Amino acid sequence: MKLTGAQALIKSLEHEAVEVMFGLPGGAILPVYDPLIDSSIRHILVRHEQGAGHMAEGYAHATGRPGVAMVTSGPAATNIVTPLCDAYMDSIPIVVITGQVPYANIGTDAFQECDTVGITMPVTKHNWLVTDAQDIPRIVREAFHVATTGRPGPVLVDVPKDIANQQMDWYWPDGVDMPGYKPTTKGHAKQIKDAARLMSQSRRPVIYAGGGILKARAAEVLRELVELTGFPVVTTLMARGSFPDDHELCLGMPGMHGNYTAVTSMQQADLLVALGSRFDDRVTGKVGAFAPEAKIIHVDIDPAELGKVRQPDVPIVGDCRQVIEELVKAVLADKAKHSGDDTQWPSLAEWQTRLRDWQRDFPLVYDQQPDGPLKPQFCVDQLRDHTPDDTIVVAGVGQHQMWTSQRWKFNHPYTFVNSGGLGTMGFAVPAAIGAKVGMPDRMVWAVDGDGCFQMTAQELVTASSERIPVKIAILNNAYLGMVRQWQELFYEERYSEVYLSPDLPDYVMWAEAMGCVGIRVDSPEEVEPAIDKANDIDDRPVVIDFRTDYREKVYPMVPAGHSNDEIILDPAHDTYGER
Ligand SMILES: Cc1ncc(C[n+]2csc(CCOP(=O)(O)OP(=O)(O)O)c2C)c(N)n1
């Protein structure tokens, strides 16, 4: 069967079971938008290509399936670089198709030409410039394979316009043949045995669960390991929900804004079992002072992670789910072999008591007076308590993100979507739309900052016209709050270019103009009714403008570059630490 390259591209996406793609057409990609009219694939027309990329990410985060975006050449391709980099940092599988100027024009500074493959090379797991329409099905198959296997990540396929118009003979490849790409998924048996041995000696262990748990769909087997060993668990920003917050062995989030117990447990541990985590600087603080007494077991599918920051005692390359399954067996065997010997697998009661004492003595604190200014933490708590348990929560970047991660109870995997590695302001609105498209039966709430919201809010026009009923809570503190916090604490309160204004824009009017319902909340007693009202609306997006107290800071905090031992608690802790 003869097809054009464009027809072959769309047909290949259908063969990859793509149900939806996010994009915006233009000159170089025009040939591919034509056969899309006759395709089963739903296309969501965004207002800015950055939105398409983050929607694809949100879709992938929530569903585990690759998100797909399609845009034209030049400025459209550069507009999607930020989501590519975001997905690269957070290992999110997305496939981006870009149009390119005709092949013969490449290198001539043709209209809307840019070196997309060159620009995106450092922020994609792999990219392809198509030079022959006959290659398209093979390349699409490879692109989805690379995006979703091993350590997942973004890929890009750049399609020159004349190649999209070229005739080819249709085929669909049986599989992929990429001899240079064979991710190791099965952990080494001896290393796994050694890991179990090391675990048997530990008196102060902590499981350091990272985003790799979610990528590997390993939440269930992680729980099995935890319940078998009694080891407490910290869940990083990218792993929130991979182990339920309401479990007694869950210590919550570690790192720069982690809670005291999570941070200090790692510092004082004698063993860290790092599962799909990457010793990010936001978790370790000053690396040389991080968990000084801990031996390290490090499991990761990407061999480049092992020893990148901290040398592991037992490195294991492999897929987290497969490795943990084997580790469970190895622990069972080790326990059986050493039963009766109380030097092995000692009781962890003392350690667990110490952790519980810290949780009691150093809780997260804030003070909402009934007639006082509205506290952002109170808004997050109310949202948490008045939404279904399996609500998908999407955060922007800044203080609101940290409060959301700290205070929400993530009891299910794939319920927290946020930008961890790149910290991309503007992520929340489009990512929430993508998550809702992928999971239409679930409630999706974005918690956003006023600064972040202003970066990509126009995608709510997309959401309204496509009837995607996401809900957005803006914690409007009239500032670039997180930057203000750093200026207050580390730049002697010299506030430089961080004031935004609470009223400009008028968020309610803006929301209404974009086809959403807009609600404004000024005081604590208005919070719950507003949330209830938003929850009842299911035919359009809703935006709540929560006017929050700009003075609130995120605590605890480990100052950048400092040791986690120098964790700063909320100064008010002593006053209302008993809450
Ligand atoms: C695209 C981008 N630009 C700048 C930053 C630096 N930055 C990090 S947090 C932040 C402030 C965010 O302000 P807002 O959205 O109002 O959230 P808040 O911290 O007040 O909750 C800024 C500017 C960033 N992370 N991303």
Side-chain angles (χ1 to χ4, degrees), residues 397-400 423-425 449-452 455 477 479-483:
V397 170
Q399 293 180 308
H400 61 281
T424 308
M425 287 176 71
D450 45 321
C452 289
M455 289 201 178
N477 56 6
Y479 276 95
L480 296 169
M482 187 56 97
V483 184

Side-chain angles (χ1 to χ4, degrees), residues 89-213:
M89 293 285 271
D90 287 345
S91 308
I92 307 302
I94 62 169
V95 178
V96 172
I97 316 274
T98 44
Q100 183 54 278
V101 301
Y103 191 65
N105 294 3
I106 290 178
T108 66
D109 299 332
F111 178 63
Q112 294 193 327
E113 181 188 358
C114 76
D115 178 5
T116 303
V117 163
I119 290 170
T120 61
M121 194 166 287
V123 293
T124 51
K125 195 172 160 188
H126 195 55
N127 63 17
W128 292 257
L129 172 66
V130 185
T131 57
D132 183 342
Q134 199 57 37
D135 295 338
I136 286 175
R138 173 182 61 77
I139 289 177
V140 170
R141 186 104 213 237
E142 287 176 359
F144 278 78
H145 180 70
V146 171
T148 54
T149 54
R151 180 180 189 156
V155 299
L156 180 140
V157 181
D158 199 24
V159 188
K161 190 171 186 176
D162 56 328
I163 305 289
N165 287 325
Q166 204 179 53
Q167 294 281 309
M168 55 84 70
D169 290 308
W170 169 256
Y171 63 100
W172 183 244
D174 292 337
V176 290
D177 179 23
M178 302 181 81
Y181 176 71
K182 294 257 183 298
T184 304
T185 53
K186 195 172 175 311
H188 193 285
K190 162 146 188 329
Q191 300 294 91
I192 292 173
K193 216 169 151 193
D194 287 353
R197 277 287 58 226
L198 205 53
M199 289 163 78
S200 77
Q201 313 292 315
S202 172
R203 289 169 189 278
R204 299 187 311 280
V206 173
I207 292 178
Y208 163 24
I213 296 282

Side-chain angles (χ1 to χ4, degrees), residues 41 103 127 144 178 211 231 252 350 400 420 423 443 454 535 566:
I41 300 173
Y103 191 65
N127 63 17
F144 278 78
M178 302 181 81
F231 285 13
E350 203 180 302
H400 61 281
M443 190 176 280
Q454 291 188 52
N535 285 342
E566 296 169 55

Side-chain angles (χ1 to χ4, degrees), residues 369-382:
Q369 293 295 328
D371 49 359
L374 181 58
K375 300 291 178 180
Q377 301 95 323
F378 177 74
C379 299
V380 173
D381 284 5
Q382 293 291 303

Side-chain angles (χ1 to χ4, degrees), residues 359-376:
Q359 284 176 321
R360 185 197 59 221
D361 295 341
F362 305 104
L364 297 168
V365 291
Y366 72 97
D367 187 19
Q368 177 66 70
Q369 293 295 328
D371 49 359
L374 181 58
K375 300 291 178 180

Side-chain angles (χ1 to χ4, degrees), residues 278-321:
R278 60 182 177 85
F279 293 79
D280 178 60
D281 54 76
R282 285 298 188 261
V283 169
T284 62
K286 186 177 172 185
V287 176
F290 175 62
E293 290 166 28
K295 293 225 157 80
I296 308 285
I297 296 167
H298 193 173
V299 180
D300 206 286
I301 193 142
D302 184 353
E305 286 300 340
L306 305 180
K308 184 183 83 178
V309 176
R310 173 84 174 250
Q311 206 55 44
D313 297 274
V314 181
I316 303 174
V317 179
D319 169 81
C320 263
R321 180 151 51 91

